[in-house]
Amino acid sequence: MFNVLKIDHIGIAVKDMEAAKKFYTEVLGMAVQGEEVVEQQKVKVCFIPSGDSEIELLESTSPDGPIAKFIEKNGEGVQHIALRVDNIEAALADLKAKGIRLIDEEPRYGAGAASIAFVHPKATGGILLELSERK
Ligand code: ZN
């Protein structure tokens, strides 16, 4: 079995991470942490903690990366919502058994050394849903 613990973060696709960071730091007075490039996803990521959750800014490192494609299609904005789960393997097995359409059948590496997997928007009412487990 598994439990959903909280909203872990909200992923926002941006064209220019430095410009986006300025809004959160200079206008809203928030602090940025944990900048990282995730090569596998062709994305540069940083986190902006807010209470128990975080905002994740995502900038593509390549014109053919998933974030670049998202922005091309939808413009900048919320790209996914991530729920923290206590056992991602159990969560994926359970969703698979329920016939839920998954993008990732196995957990993979996510920024901040999380184990992540995406659930298809067609299964969630239109939201790209990330499941995230942190040890
Ligand atoms: Zn994310």
Side-chain angles (χ1 to χ4, degrees):
M1 278 312 297
F2 74 98
N3 295 293
V4 175
L5 304 176
K6 63 173 189 166
I7 293 178
D8 189 79
H9 63 268
I10 296 172
I12 300 176
V14 300
K15 285 181 187 162
D16 180 345
M17 182 174 290
E18 289 312 309
K21 274 200 285 200
K22 270 191 183 163
F23 173 75
Y24 291 97
T25 57
E26 292 176 15
V27 178
L28 297 178
M30 299 170 83
V32 173
Q33 310 183 332
E35 201 161 311
E36 176 180 348
V37 171
V38 181
E39 298 289 353
Q40 184 198 28
Q41 284 293 299
K42 299 178 180 172
V43 71
K44 185 165 86 177
V45 173
C46 74
F47 287 98
I48 303 167
S50 174
D52 205 22
S53 301
E54 295 177 307
I55 291 168
E56 176 186 45
L57 298 180
L58 303 145
E59 180 192 292
S60 193
T61 58
S62 159
D64 66 343
I67 294 302
K69 287 182 188 157
F70 175 88
I71 289 174
E72 208 177 284
K73 196 172 160 197
N74 307 287
E76 296 178 287
V78 173
Q79 196 256 351
H80 67 272
I81 292 177
L83 296 176
R84 173 94 53 104
V85 295
D86 58 359
N87 184 335
I88 196 165
E89 281 88 2
L92 290 173
D94 188 64
L95 293 178
K96 218 186 288 183
K98 289 172 177 163
I100 301 298
R101 185 166 166 193
L102 302 173
I103 292 175
D104 300 304
E105 302 226 328
E106 301 294 331
R108 59 187 163 86
Y109 177 85
S115 254
I116 68 166
F118 284 98
V119 181
H120 200 283
K122 286 214 159 70
T124 65
I127 295 291
L128 177 60
L129 184 68
E130 176 186 328
L131 303 176
S132 172
E133 179 187 346
R134 289 173 199 260
K135 303 281 181 197

